[in-house]
Amino acid sequence: MTFTQQDARPELESAPGSEWWRTAVIYQIYPRSFADASGDGLGDLPGVTAHLDDLKELGVDAIWLSPFQRSPQKDAGYDVADYRDVDPIFGTLADFDAMLAGAHDRGIRVIVDLVPNHSSDQHVWFQEALNAAPGSPERARYIFRDGKGKNGELPPNNWESVFGGGMWKRVTEADGTPGQWYLHIFDESQPDFDWTNPEVRAEFESILRFWLDRGVDGFRVDVAHGLIKAAGLPDFTPDPEGGSMGGDAAGVPYWGQPGVHEVWREWHEVLAEYDGERALCAEAWLPTVAQTALWVRPDEMHQAFNFAYLETKWDAEALRDVITESLHEYAAVGAPSTWVLSNHDVVRHASRLALTAENPQGAGIGPKSPGKPDPVKGLRRARAATSLMLALPGSSYLYQGEELGLPEVIDLPDDARQDPTWFRTEGERYGRDGCRVPIPWTADAPAYGFNDTGAAWLPQPAEWAEFARDVQREDPASTLSLYRSLLAERRAHGLGAGSLEWLDGYGDDVVAFRNGPVTVIANLGDGAVELPAGDVLVASGPLDGDTLPTDTTVWIAAA
Ligand code: GLC
């Protein structure tokens, strides 16, 4: 069976199928941990600008920046106080413009994070809401409700925050009495907007235009499945074993409500007014690929993260199934499939793929976690997994540091941890700090070249010198060299715009397919696999003569 992105192209587009985001490799920058030009221990926008040549050399098509807007940083910037300004810790709007121009000069597109589900409690609207009376227009921008119980002392429903604890916080009214409650899916410093309110919609349309006018190529839309809540806010008890962001259960009253699609249709229209193929990418954790595909119908968003792929175990059959399903479901709505293995919310795949115990999304791993990964096996699998992913048709996302093979940092000291998950669950869940440690650039430098001062907002492990970019650049067997080769061959052979044809005969534990002139074979089994004839374009690890060892992927040019 053959699936092609060609089939997926919508008929309504003026230049069907040629848009950059259909095939792009997009590199996620988590600004606070990428590069720190100011030396204060937190990365910044001038740090990004200073390393654009490294990204060009790596060979990515675009970058996505996690939030850098004004924020008290209670959730590492996903708590925005002013959507139209850069937080001073990251620089200024002028620094942003310089970064954007520098990226565009190098042919690199830039998408920025937009956080519409909630603001910071320091946002002027929320402050106005706190100072206004129940029932006022100021409160109507957020989700305020009276409490239950005799004196309103109980929360309006039983919903639990993604970060642990309840989803409601009670405020004190202007006269000093205990008052209404407001909803926060995440931390209590992140009140949810009421997206049924036209004022909220108008404000975000204006925010979109602010960044589009500055020249951004699109937006990664945070918590795109959360904006609309089920009418009446009915009680709901999630599966305690489930992941924190949803995606495990159907019928959750605060995830994936049909009303969100109207918002994306409005946003689609706004972006379409601009030239340059601006794009929207949904962060939507939903139970099925088919449901996620609804986010990228032709008049909605352009891409959605393929979290079903990210969450697939290192198992050949499971991978074949999720790839087949993804290509089918996204093609059915005229969208490309995306692929992703790591981001700032999940355990890095160089560790995750070797975990031996269940690890729900958001739990993280730390000193007391069961099933700690074997780092050698993890890196070997990560290299094989990325080599498989980058051969698939569609668009792929990379997360900073994975091109260095960075593992999750497991042994962060308790007092260094900063993820609200850690605090709200009182240490029961480690959260996401382990994938957010500042990345190493230079082996023999303070903070491994993250800055000049040696400061780092999360401590970097002593053994990270060996992962530093300068060391890997010189080593043809390094993970960095592998990523560069994969990206160059992917581009040379047009794999992003290609098609997938499954190849039989390699056994159940092998994922094998052809994409245009390239045969891709990933061996997830214990035994060696005989290689077909043809030139080896790239291999994720050493080959054994004419055989492919376990946990290794190879790209072969058809003979
Ligand atoms: C998204 C972000 C995550 C953040 C949350 C709340 O899931 O990726 O980092 O904590 O939204 O904004």
mmCIF file of all heavy atoms in Angstrom, residues 142-181:
data_model
loop_
_atom_site.group_PDB
_atom_site.id
_atom_site.type_symbol
_atom_site.label_atom_id
_atom_site.label_comp_id
_atom_site.label_asym_id
_atom_site.label_seq_id
_atom_site.Cartn_x
_atom_site.Cartn_y
_atom_site.Cartn_z
ATOM 1 N N TYR A 142 -12.444 35.643 32.128
ATOM 2 C CA TYR A 142 -11.915 34.396 32.715
ATOM 3 C C TYR A 142 -13.105 33.551 33.164
ATOM 4 O O TYR A 142 -14.264 33.899 32.916
ATOM 5 C CB TYR A 142 -10.969 34.733 33.885
ATOM 6 C CG TYR A 142 -9.703 35.449 33.415
ATOM 7 C CD1 TYR A 142 -9.656 36.843 33.324
ATOM 8 C CD2 TYR A 142 -8.580 34.734 33.022
ATOM 9 C CE1 TYR A 142 -8.510 37.490 32.861
ATOM 10 C CE2 TYR A 142 -7.425 35.376 32.571
ATOM 11 C CZ TYR A 142 -7.398 36.758 32.487
ATOM 12 O OH TYR A 142 -6.266 37.394 32.042
ATOM 13 N N ILE A 143 -12.819 32.452 33.840
ATOM 14 C CA ILE A 143 -13.908 31.549 34.231
ATOM 15 C C ILE A 143 -14.067 31.621 35.748
ATOM 16 O O ILE A 143 -13.468 30.837 36.503
ATOM 17 C CB ILE A 143 -13.626 30.123 33.707
ATOM 18 C CG1 ILE A 143 -13.458 30.183 32.172
ATOM 19 C CG2 ILE A 143 -14.755 29.171 34.112
ATOM 20 C CD1 ILE A 143 -13.102 28.854 31.525
ATOM 21 N N PHE A 144 -14.816 32.612 36.190
ATOM 22 C CA PHE A 144 -15.132 32.773 37.616
ATOM 23 C C PHE A 144 -16.494 32.137 37.892
ATOM 24 O O PHE A 144 -17.432 32.278 37.108
ATOM 25 C CB PHE A 144 -15.197 34.256 37.986
ATOM 26 C CG PHE A 144 -13.853 34.898 38.215
ATOM 27 C CD1 PHE A 144 -13.113 35.395 37.152
ATOM 28 C CD2 PHE A 144 -13.336 35.002 39.504
ATOM 29 C CE1 PHE A 144 -11.876 35.991 37.362
ATOM 30 C CE2 PHE A 144 -12.094 35.596 39.723
ATOM 31 C CZ PHE A 144 -11.358 36.092 38.652
ATOM 32 N N ARG A 145 -16.615 31.438 38.980
ATOM 33 C CA ARG A 145 -17.894 30.846 39.379
ATOM 34 C C ARG A 145 -18.030 30.961 40.899
ATOM 35 O O ARG A 145 -17.026 30.998 41.624
ATOM 36 C CB ARG A 145 -17.951 29.345 39.015
ATOM 37 C CG ARG A 145 -17.950 29.042 37.536
ATOM 38 C CD ARG A 145 -19.282 29.382 36.864
ATOM 39 N NE ARG A 145 -19.292 29.009 35.465
ATOM 40 C CZ ARG A 145 -18.778 29.725 34.451
ATOM 41 N NH1 ARG A 145 -18.182 30.893 34.698
ATOM 42 N NH2 ARG A 145 -18.864 29.298 33.216
ATOM 43 N N ASP A 146 -19.279 30.954 41.347
ATOM 44 C CA ASP A 146 -19.514 30.872 42.792
ATOM 45 C C ASP A 146 -19.198 29.452 43.243
ATOM 46 O O ASP A 146 -19.395 28.500 42.480
ATOM 47 C CB ASP A 146 -20.980 31.178 43.120
ATOM 48 C CG ASP A 146 -21.324 32.637 42.798
ATOM 49 O OD1 ASP A 146 -20.399 33.481 42.847
ATOM 50 O OD2 ASP A 146 -22.500 32.910 42.477
ATOM 51 N N GLY A 147 -18.733 29.335 44.465
ATOM 52 C CA GLY A 147 -18.435 28.011 45.005
ATOM 53 C C GLY A 147 -19.696 27.277 45.433
ATOM 54 O O GLY A 147 -20.772 27.860 45.542
ATOM 55 N N LYS A 148 -19.530 25.978 45.673
ATOM 56 C CA LYS A 148 -20.633 25.183 46.216
ATOM 57 C C LYS A 148 -20.563 25.231 47.752
ATOM 58 O O LYS A 148 -19.617 25.772 48.320
ATOM 59 C CB LYS A 148 -20.492 23.737 45.745
ATOM 60 C CG LYS A 148 -20.845 23.537 44.278
ATOM 61 C CD LYS A 148 -20.832 22.042 43.988
ATOM 62 C CE LYS A 148 -21.223 21.773 42.558
ATOM 63 N NZ LYS A 148 -20.765 20.436 42.145
ATOM 64 N N GLY A 149 -21.536 24.587 48.384
ATOM 65 C CA GLY A 149 -21.546 24.561 49.846
ATOM 66 C C GLY A 149 -22.334 25.750 50.379
ATOM 67 O O GLY A 149 -22.714 26.648 49.635
ATOM 68 N N LYS A 150 -22.532 25.734 51.681
ATOM 69 C CA LYS A 150 -23.386 26.738 52.316
ATOM 70 C C LYS A 150 -22.896 28.160 52.054
ATOM 71 O O LYS A 150 -23.670 29.046 51.700
ATOM 72 C CB LYS A 150 -23.384 26.464 53.826
ATOM 73 C CG LYS A 150 -24.567 27.011 54.541
ATOM 74 C CD LYS A 150 -24.854 26.194 55.795
ATOM 75 C CE LYS A 150 -25.526 27.113 56.807
ATOM 76 N NZ LYS A 150 -24.696 27.375 57.961
ATOM 77 N N ASN A 151 -21.584 28.328 52.171
ATOM 78 C CA ASN A 151 -21.023 29.675 52.005
ATOM 79 C C ASN A 151 -20.099 29.776 50.801
ATOM 80 O O ASN A 151 -19.176 30.590 50.798
ATOM 81 C CB ASN A 151 -20.263 30.070 53.273
ATOM 82 C CG ASN A 151 -21.174 30.060 54.482
ATOM 83 O OD1 ASN A 151 -22.223 30.716 54.449
ATOM 84 N ND2 ASN A 151 -20.815 29.294 55.498
ATOM 85 N N GLY A 152 -20.331 28.894 49.832
ATOM 86 C CA GLY A 152 -19.472 28.928 48.637
ATOM 87 C C GLY A 152 -18.056 28.496 48.948
ATOM 88 O O GLY A 152 -17.106 28.863 48.258
ATOM 89 N N GLU A 153 -17.903 27.661 49.985
ATOM 90 C CA GLU A 153 -16.554 27.297 50.427
ATOM 91 C C GLU A 153 -15.978 26.104 49.673
ATOM 92 O O GLU A 153 -14.815 25.765 49.841
ATOM 93 C CB GLU A 153 -16.534 27.044 51.942
ATOM 94 C CG GLU A 153 -17.236 25.777 52.410
ATOM 95 C CD GLU A 153 -18.771 25.915 52.504
ATOM 96 O OE1 GLU A 153 -19.303 26.921 52.023
ATOM 97 O OE2 GLU A 153 -19.400 24.993 53.041
ATOM 98 N N LEU A 154 -16.814 25.478 48.820
ATOM 99 C CA LEU A 154 -16.333 24.322 48.053
ATOM 100 C C LEU A 154 -16.160 24.713 46.591
ATOM 101 O O LEU A 154 -16.936 25.514 46.056
ATOM 102 C CB LEU A 154 -17.346 23.169 48.147
ATOM 103 C CG LEU A 154 -17.611 22.644 49.553
ATOM 104 C CD1 LEU A 154 -18.765 21.646 49.547
ATOM 105 C CD2 LEU A 154 -16.342 22.019 50.115
ATOM 106 N N PRO A 155 -15.150 24.138 45.913
ATOM 107 C CA PRO A 155 -14.937 24.514 44.510
ATOM 108 C C PRO A 155 -16.143 24.159 43.651
ATOM 109 O O PRO A 155 -16.900 23.239 43.982
ATOM 110 C CB PRO A 155 -13.699 23.703 44.102
ATOM 111 C CG PRO A 155 -13.538 22.647 45.134
ATOM 112 C CD PRO A 155 -14.174 23.156 46.385
ATOM 113 N N PRO A 156 -16.326 24.881 42.538
ATOM 114 C CA PRO A 156 -17.514 24.673 41.694
ATOM 115 C C PRO A 156 -17.628 23.269 41.107
ATOM 116 O O PRO A 156 -18.724 22.818 40.805
ATOM 117 C CB PRO A 156 -17.342 25.718 40.591
ATOM 118 C CG PRO A 156 -16.501 26.790 41.231
ATOM 119 C CD PRO A 156 -15.568 26.079 42.156
ATOM 120 N N ASN A 157 -16.525 22.559 40.901
ATOM 121 C CA ASN A 157 -16.617 21.144 40.506
ATOM 122 C C ASN A 157 -15.359 20.415 40.978
ATOM 123 O O ASN A 157 -14.514 21.003 41.672
ATOM 124 C CB ASN A 157 -16.887 20.974 38.998
ATOM 125 C CG ASN A 157 -15.707 21.395 38.128
ATOM 126 O OD1 ASN A 157 -14.565 21.440 38.602
ATOM 127 N ND2 ASN A 157 -15.969 21.695 36.864
ATOM 128 N N ASN A 158 -15.221 19.153 40.561
ATOM 129 C CA ASN A 158 -14.143 18.321 41.117
ATOM 130 C C ASN A 158 -12.908 18.243 40.220
ATOM 131 O O ASN A 158 -12.071 17.371 40.411
ATOM 132 C CB ASN A 158 -14.668 16.901 41.382
ATOM 133 C CG ASN A 158 -14.885 16.123 40.085
ATOM 134 O OD1 ASN A 158 -14.928 16.722 38.999
ATOM 135 N ND2 ASN A 158 -15.013 14.818 40.173
ATOM 136 N N TRP A 159 -12.783 19.112 39.229
ATOM 137 C CA TRP A 159 -11.686 18.959 38.271
ATOM 138 C C TRP A 159 -10.326 19.119 38.954
ATOM 139 O O TRP A 159 -10.154 19.951 39.845
ATOM 140 C CB TRP A 159 -11.811 19.982 37.136
ATOM 141 C CG TRP A 159 -13.034 19.771 36.289
ATOM 142 C CD1 TRP A 159 -13.970 18.791 36.418
ATOM 143 C CD2 TRP A 159 -13.445 20.590 35.198
ATOM 144 N NE1 TRP A 159 -14.946 18.945 35.462
ATOM 145 C CE2 TRP A 159 -14.653 20.037 34.694
ATOM 146 C CE3 TRP A 159 -12.931 21.734 34.574
ATOM 147 C CZ2 TRP A 159 -15.337 20.593 33.619
ATOM 148 C CZ3 TRP A 159 -13.602 22.290 33.503
ATOM 149 C CH2 TRP A 159 -14.796 21.718 33.030
ATOM 150 N N GLU A 160 -9.357 18.302 38.428
ATOM 151 C CA GLU A 160 -8.003 18.344 38.998
ATOM 152 C C GLU A 160 -7.032 18.960 38.010
ATOM 153 O O GLU A 160 -7.045 18.632 36.820
ATOM 154 C CB GLU A 160 -7.531 16.919 39.322
ATOM 155 C CG GLU A 160 -8.219 16.351 40.528
ATOM 156 C CD GLU A 160 -7.959 14.856 40.667
ATOM 157 O OE1 GLU A 160 -6.908 14.390 40.194
ATOM 158 O OE2 GLU A 160 -8.837 14.188 41.235
ATOM 159 N N SER A 161 -6.172 19.831 38.508
ATOM 160 C CA SER A 161 -5.185 20.514 37.657
ATOM 161 C C SER A 161 -4.224 19.501 37.029
ATOM 162 O O SER A 161 -3.854 18.499 37.652
ATOM 163 C CB SER A 161 -4.398 21.506 38.508
ATOM 164 O OG SER A 161 -3.159 21.792 37.910
ATOM 165 N N VAL A 162 -3.806 19.810 35.811
ATOM 166 C CA VAL A 162 -2.789 19.004 35.128
ATOM 167 C C VAL A 162 -1.520 18.900 35.975
ATOM 168 O O VAL A 162 -0.820 17.891 35.948
ATOM 169 C CB VAL A 162 -2.459 19.658 33.751
ATOM 170 C CG1 VAL A 162 -1.169 19.110 33.171
ATOM 171 C CG2 VAL A 162 -3.609 19.477 32.787
ATOM 172 N N PHE A 163 -1.229 19.948 36.716
ATOM 173 C CA PHE A 163 -0.004 19.966 37.525
ATOM 174 C C PHE A 163 -0.207 19.405 38.932
ATOM 175 O O PHE A 163 0.682 19.489 39.774
ATOM 176 C CB PHE A 163 0.523 21.403 37.655
ATOM 177 C CG PHE A 163 1.065 21.987 36.374
ATOM 178 C CD1 PHE A 163 1.155 23.370 36.231
ATOM 179 C CD2 PHE A 163 1.514 21.185 35.335
ATOM 180 C CE1 PHE A 163 1.667 23.931 35.068
ATOM 181 C CE2 PHE A 163 2.026 21.735 34.171
ATOM 182 C CZ PHE A 163 2.099 23.116 34.030
ATOM 183 N N GLY A 164 -1.409 18.845 39.194
ATOM 184 C CA GLY A 164 -1.691 18.318 40.523
ATOM 185 C C GLY A 164 -2.529 19.302 41.338
ATOM 186 O O GLY A 164 -2.537 20.510 41.074
ATOM 187 N N GLY A 165 -3.260 18.763 42.316
ATOM 188 C CA GLY A 165 -4.143 19.604 43.133
ATOM 189 C C GLY A 165 -5.420 19.956 42.376
ATOM 190 O O GLY A 165 -5.666 19.467 41.278
ATOM 191 N N GLY A 166 -6.232 20.826 42.983
ATOM 192 C CA GLY A 166 -7.503 21.199 42.370
ATOM 193 C C GLY A 166 -7.330 22.176 41.210
ATOM 194 O O GLY A 166 -6.257 22.754 41.021
ATOM 195 N N MET A 167 -8.421 22.339 40.433
ATOM 196 C CA MET A 167 -8.365 23.220 39.267
ATOM 197 C C MET A 167 -9.001 24.586 39.543
ATOM 198 O O MET A 167 -9.186 25.390 38.638
ATOM 199 C CB MET A 167 -9.065 22.543 38.081
ATOM 200 C CG MET A 167 -8.442 22.838 36.734
ATOM 201 S SD MET A 167 -9.448 22.272 35.366
ATOM 202 C CE MET A 167 -8.701 20.725 34.939
ATOM 203 N N TRP A 168 -9.376 24.831 40.804
ATOM 204 C CA TRP A 168 -10.038 26.096 41.152
ATOM 205 C C TRP A 168 -9.302 26.785 42.297
ATOM 206 O O TRP A 168 -8.814 26.114 43.206
ATOM 207 C CB TRP A 168 -11.473 25.828 41.607
ATOM 208 C CG TRP A 168 -12.366 25.276 40.549
ATOM 209 C CD1 TRP A 168 -12.591 23.957 40.284
ATOM 210 C CD2 TRP A 168 -13.159 26.012 39.621
ATOM 211 N NE1 TRP A 168 -13.482 23.829 39.252
ATOM 212 C CE2 TRP A 168 -13.856 25.084 38.822
ATOM 213 C CE3 TRP A 168 -13.374 27.385 39.372
ATOM 214 C CZ2 TRP A 168 -14.732 25.460 37.806
ATOM 215 C CZ3 TRP A 168 -14.254 27.762 38.377
ATOM 216 C CH2 TRP A 168 -14.921 26.806 37.598
ATOM 217 N N LYS A 169 -9.300 28.106 42.237
ATOM 218 C CA LYS A 169 -8.749 28.853 43.377
ATOM 219 C C LYS A 169 -9.760 29.922 43.788
ATOM 220 O O LYS A 169 -10.343 30.607 42.939
ATOM 221 C CB LYS A 169 -7.430 29.506 42.993
ATOM 222 C CG LYS A 169 -6.888 30.419 44.075
ATOM 223 C CD LYS A 169 -5.387 30.450 44.114
ATOM 224 C CE LYS A 169 -4.896 31.558 45.047
ATOM 225 N NZ LYS A 169 -4.845 31.103 46.443
ATOM 226 N N ARG A 170 -9.913 30.035 45.086
ATOM 227 C CA ARG A 170 -10.876 31.018 45.594
ATOM 228 C C ARG A 170 -10.194 32.371 45.765
ATOM 229 O O ARG A 170 -9.050 32.448 46.215
ATOM 230 C CB ARG A 170 -11.425 30.550 46.941
ATOM 231 C CG ARG A 170 -12.642 31.326 47.337
ATOM 232 C CD ARG A 170 -13.350 30.722 48.521
ATOM 233 N NE ARG A 170 -14.702 31.286 48.615
ATOM 234 C CZ ARG A 170 -15.512 31.079 49.620
ATOM 235 N NH1 ARG A 170 -15.137 30.298 50.626
ATOM 236 N NH2 ARG A 170 -16.718 31.623 49.643
ATOM 237 N N VAL A 171 -10.887 33.438 45.410
ATOM 238 C CA VAL A 171 -10.314 34.772 45.563
ATOM 239 C C VAL A 171 -10.931 35.463 46.776
ATOM 240 O O VAL A 171 -11.968 35.049 47.295
ATOM 241 C CB VAL A 171 -10.548 35.648 44.299
ATOM 242 C CG1 VAL A 171 -9.943 34.975 43.079
ATOM 243 C CG2 VAL A 171 -12.026 35.951 44.061
ATOM 244 N N THR A 172 -10.261 36.512 47.170
ATOM 245 C CA THR A 172 -10.809 37.368 48.225
ATOM 246 C C THR A 172 -11.393 38.603 47.548
ATOM 247 O O THR A 172 -10.715 39.243 46.747
ATOM 248 C CB THR A 172 -9.675 37.783 49.200
ATOM 249 O OG1 THR A 172 -9.090 36.584 49.712
ATOM 250 C CG2 THR A 172 -10.203 38.623 50.330
ATOM 251 N N GLU A 173 -12.632 38.895 47.832
ATOM 252 C CA GLU A 173 -13.278 40.045 47.176
ATOM 253 C C GLU A 173 -12.758 41.370 47.755
ATOM 254 O O GLU A 173 -12.091 41.387 48.797
ATOM 255 C CB GLU A 173 -14.809 39.961 47.330
ATOM 256 C CG GLU A 173 -15.427 38.687 46.777
ATOM 257 C CD GLU A 173 -15.260 38.507 45.265
ATOM 258 O OE1 GLU A 173 -14.729 39.412 44.584
ATOM 259 O OE2 GLU A 173 -15.623 37.434 44.754
ATOM 260 N N ALA A 174 -13.104 42.470 47.068
ATOM 261 C CA ALA A 174 -12.586 43.783 47.450
ATOM 262 C C ALA A 174 -12.897 44.133 48.915
ATOM 263 O O ALA A 174 -12.102 44.789 49.593
ATOM 264 C CB ALA A 174 -13.161 44.850 46.516
ATOM 265 N N ASP A 175 -14.046 43.625 49.419
ATOM 266 C CA ASP A 175 -14.401 43.963 50.816
ATOM 267 C C ASP A 175 -13.752 43.024 51.832
ATOM 268 O O ASP A 175 -14.074 43.037 53.018
ATOM 269 C CB ASP A 175 -15.929 43.935 50.981
ATOM 270 C CG ASP A 175 -16.509 42.546 50.711
ATOM 271 O OD1 ASP A 175 -15.710 41.600 50.488
ATOM 272 O OD2 ASP A 175 -17.746 42.395 50.735
ATOM 273 N N GLY A 176 -12.843 42.174 51.343
ATOM 274 C CA GLY A 176 -12.104 41.311 52.261
ATOM 275 C C GLY A 176 -12.773 39.975 52.536
ATOM 276 O O GLY A 176 -12.218 39.149 53.255
ATOM 277 N N THR A 177 -13.944 39.726 51.988
ATOM 278 C CA THR A 177 -14.622 38.447 52.251
ATOM 279 C C THR A 177 -14.185 37.394 51.233
ATOM 280 O O THR A 177 -13.812 37.731 50.112
ATOM 281 C CB THR A 177 -16.158 38.606 52.158
ATOM 282 O OG1 THR A 177 -16.477 39.089 50.837
ATOM 283 C CG2 THR A 177 -16.674 39.572 53.202
ATOM 284 N N PRO A 178 -14.239 36.098 51.642
ATOM 285 C CA PRO A 178 -13.916 35.026 50.692
ATOM 286 C C PRO A 178 -14.920 35.061 49.546
ATOM 287 O O PRO A 178 -16.126 35.210 49.777
ATOM 288 C CB PRO A 178 -14.062 33.747 51.508
ATOM 289 C CG PRO A 178 -14.168 34.176 52.933
ATOM 290 C CD PRO A 178 -14.650 35.592 52.946
ATOM 291 N N GLY A 179 -14.443 34.959 48.325
ATOM 292 C CA GLY A 179 -15.319 35.223 47.190
ATOM 293 C C GLY A 179 -15.482 34.076 46.226
ATOM 294 O O GLY A 179 -15.560 32.907 46.622
ATOM 295 N N GLN A 180 -15.475 34.431 44.940
ATOM 296 C CA GLN A 180 -15.682 33.447 43.870
ATOM 297 C C GLN A 180 -14.411 32.599 43.677
ATOM 298 O O GLN A 180 -13.374 32.853 44.283
ATOM 299 C CB GLN A 180 -16.003 34.186 42.572
ATOM 300 C CG GLN A 180 -17.400 34.790 42.531
ATOM 301 C CD GLN A 180 -17.774 35.208 41.125
ATOM 302 O OE1 GLN A 180 -17.107 36.058 40.529
ATOM 303 N NE2 GLN A 180 -18.841 34.633 40.592
ATOM 304 N N TRP A 181 -14.566 31.641 42.799
ATOM 305 C CA TRP A 181 -13.445 30.771 42.439
ATOM 306 C C TRP A 181 -13.140 30.979 40.957
ATOM 307 O O TRP A 181 -14.053 31.242 40.169
ATOM 308 C CB TRP A 181 -13.813 29.316 42.649
ATOM 309 C CG TRP A 181 -14.162 28.921 44.064
ATOM 310 C CD1 TRP A 181 -15.275 29.286 44.764
ATOM 311 C CD2 TRP A 181 -13.410 28.075 44.921
ATOM 312 N NE1 TRP A 181 -15.269 28.724 46.008
ATOM 313 C CE2 TRP A 181 -14.129 27.954 46.140
ATOM 314 C CE3 TRP A 181 -12.195 27.390 44.805
ATOM 315 C CZ2 TRP A 181 -13.684 27.192 47.214
ATOM 316 C CZ3 TRP A 181 -11.750 26.623 45.873
ATOM 317 C CH2 TRP A 181 -12.483 26.536 47.063
#
